Amino acid sequence: MYIPSVGLFYILGSGVDRLYGMEGVYSGARRALVVLLVSVAVLSFSVLTYKRTAVWQDSETLWKDTIEKSPNSYLAYNNLGLFYYNKGLDDEAFENYKRALTLKPNLATAYNNLGLFYYNKGSYDKAFENYKRALTLKPNFAVAYNNLGLVYEEKGLVDKAFELYQKALILKSDYPEALNNMGNIYYEKGDIDRALGLYKRALVLKPEYVEALSNIGNIYDEKGDTKKAIANYKKAILFNPDFSDAHYNLALAYQSKGLLDLAIKHYKKVLRIKPDFYNTYYNLGIIYYAKGFVDKAIASYKKAIKLSVDLAEEDDIRDMYTDLGNAYFKKGLLQEAMESYTKALSMYPDDKILLHNMRIIKRMYNKKTSK
């Protein structure tokens, strides 16, 4: 309404100006009346504008207000769901998407959003169904092609995923997420130079794209250019201070350079954002052990082991129990050390270093208990 309103208000303004400038017997009274009317209008509109700012406070207040005034607005429900999704409120997002589809069963964007919901829950088959439904309703839906590619990638069908990312780019040439996803496939295949090129193209389209910045940092780190890696991680954090991946990668980079206090700082930031990320606790344990804070190391290793159940590879769990055993041994807690080594050996019974350490501790423990 802004553009078509220009002519109307030009006419109103011209009329007020002419009325105010007219000469005559009652010109003084007329001017006072014009001033009064204009003042009342400005004051009224100011009050209405102030009240309206409460509605435009954020997307939640805006779409809730829209729904209150237009209960059958399927777009408002869909957009409110997207707001909740971005806030991590999955259940609220789901309810609003379903409500939008009740009002408009052929709303492709709502099916795409439901696909995102299921994808983040790890329900890849349901995500697949909803993305396919979105594409049936809207065959040129670039975002749905890209998201469907992510599902294929999770299923290990990397070539099919790559085709879908390409299809998304054909439909939407300025699509940084598709470029980034193609870069990820090249990265996993070991073609890091081609991956780097795609990540950089994504950044040209979206300079604040934190995932691409972090990925570029990973490539520079792999190339041994830690300085450039750190610069990209820092830039990602500058755009999004709550981007846990960048904090984690930055901490790893600092740890590799021996800047342990800086590494601890960023690992702790990761834990504020993702408190259940077991790798962070494990790496903190390694740093604490190196700095001589053995009690803190033990606490971190134990937390990492507790959180890693059903998530970590057997190799990782073996390493955690081994390092926990080393920390117990350093504290002189021989029985606890033996228990940790025993758990590690249950996974790798032929590990020569573990067997050697176990023999040493057993001799020390037997000697200590026989006194």
Side-chain angles (χ1 to χ4, degrees), residues 24-312:
V25 178
Y26 301 108
S27 59
R30 189 187 306 111
R31 287 174 183 171
L33 180 62
V34 169
V35 170
L36 178 62
L37 291 173
V38 169
S39 298
V40 169
V42 169
L43 181 61
S44 299
F45 285 129
S46 296
V47 171
L48 290 171
T49 299
Y50 178 77
K51 287 183 177 179
R52 196 66 185 160
T53 57
V55 172
W56 286 84
Q57 181 179 340
D58 57 31
S59 295
E60 182 180 24
T61 56
L62 173 63
W63 297 121
K64 279 186 172 181
D65 180 75
T66 305
I67 290 167
E68 186 180 334
K69 292 180 171 62
S70 304
N72 294 324
S73 176
Y74 57 86
L75 286 176
Y77 280 107
N78 185 58
N79 292 338
L80 182 58
L82 196 57
F83 169 83
Y84 286 133
Y85 167 79
N86 290 327
K87 287 285 186 181
L89 302 170
D90 289 344
D91 292 337
E92 290 85 344
F94 180 83
E95 291 302 322
N96 280 279
Y97 297 149
K98 296 296 284 186
R99 178 63 178 158
L101 286 170
T102 299
L103 294 168
K104 190 174 177 66
N106 61 344
L107 185 60
T109 52
Y111 281 109
N112 177 71
N113 292 339
L114 273 175
L116 284 172
F117 169 83
Y118 285 121
Y119 179 84
N120 286 333
K121 294 284 187 183
S123 301
Y124 301 123
D125 290 335
K126 286 188 177 181
F128 180 88
E129 291 170 10
N130 280 279
Y131 291 142
K132 292 291 283 186
R133 178 65 174 155
L135 288 168
T136 300
L137 294 167
K138 189 178 177 182
N140 294 328
F141 197 178
V143 175
Y145 278 111
N146 178 72
N147 292 339
L148 186 58
L150 292 171
V151 175
Y152 276 115
E153 202 170 341
E154 287 291 341
K155 290 175 175 286
L157 302 170
V158 178
D159 292 336
K160 180 63 177 176
F162 193 84
E163 289 177 16
L164 289 164
Y165 299 145
Q166 286 182 314
K167 176 73 172 177
L169 274 173
I170 291 169
L171 294 169
K172 186 180 178 184
S173 58
D174 57 340
Y175 196 178
E177 286 78 10
L179 288 166
N180 182 72
N181 292 336
M182 289 169 65
N184 289 340
I185 290 179
Y186 280 123
Y187 182 83
E188 291 299 323
K189 289 184 174 182
D191 193 345
I192 60 175
D193 289 325
R194 191 170 289 185
L196 181 61
L198 287 163
Y199 294 146
K200 286 185 174 180
R201 281 177 60 191
L203 277 182
V204 170
L205 295 171
K206 188 177 177 182
E208 75 284 3
Y209 192 8
V210 293
E211 285 82 1
L213 283 165
S214 185
N215 289 336
I216 289 171
N218 292 341
I219 288 180
Y220 282 127
D221 187 59
E222 194 164 318
K223 286 174 173 283
D225 194 339
T226 311
K227 185 177 180 180
K228 281 187 177 179
I230 288 173
N232 279 276
Y233 297 143
K234 281 184 171 180
K235 195 170 183 181
I237 290 167
L238 188 65
F239 284 123
N240 183 2
D242 292 329
F243 186 36
S244 61
D245 287 358
H247 281 294
Y248 182 77
N249 291 333
L250 183 56
L252 285 175
Y254 281 136
Q255 188 173 353
S256 70
K257 289 180 71 69
L259 301 170
L260 302 185
D261 289 334
L262 285 172
I264 289 171
K265 173 185 173 184
H266 286 278
Y267 281 137
K268 285 184 174 180
K269 287 184 177 179
V270 173
L271 292 176
R272 281 198 289 271
I273 302 162
K274 293 174 70 175
D276 296 334
F277 193 25
Y278 72 88
N279 275 326
T280 306
Y281 282 105
Y282 182 45
N283 290 335
L284 275 172
I286 292 170
I287 292 176
Y288 287 138
Y289 186 84
K291 288 173 72 70
F293 303 142
V294 183
D295 289 331
K296 284 187 174 182
I298 289 171
S300 293
Y301 291 144
K302 288 172 74 174
K303 185 74 172 176
I305 290 167
K306 183 179 178 181
L307 291 171
S308 67
V309 176
D310 299 328
L311 294 174

Side-chain angles (χ1 to χ4, degrees), residues 312-362:
E313 298 290 332
E314 211 169 54
D315 284 357
D316 293 335
I317 297 174
R318 185 270 314 268
D319 291 342
M320 285 184 241
Y321 275 117
T322 301
D323 289 343
L324 179 59
N326 293 339
Y328 279 134
F329 178 61
K330 192 163 188 176
K331 284 284 291 183
L333 300 170
L334 301 181
Q335 185 173 345
E336 289 85 346
M338 281 194 296
E339 289 172 359
S340 295
Y341 286 146
T342 300
K343 287 177 180 175
L345 283 166
S346 69
M347 290 172 258
Y348 288 86
D350 298 326
D351 190 306
K352 292 181 180 179
I353 295 175
L354 273 172
L355 288 168
H356 175 71
N357 291 347
M358 181 67 93
R359 282 193 295 269
I360 293 173
I361 291 176
K362 276 185 176 180

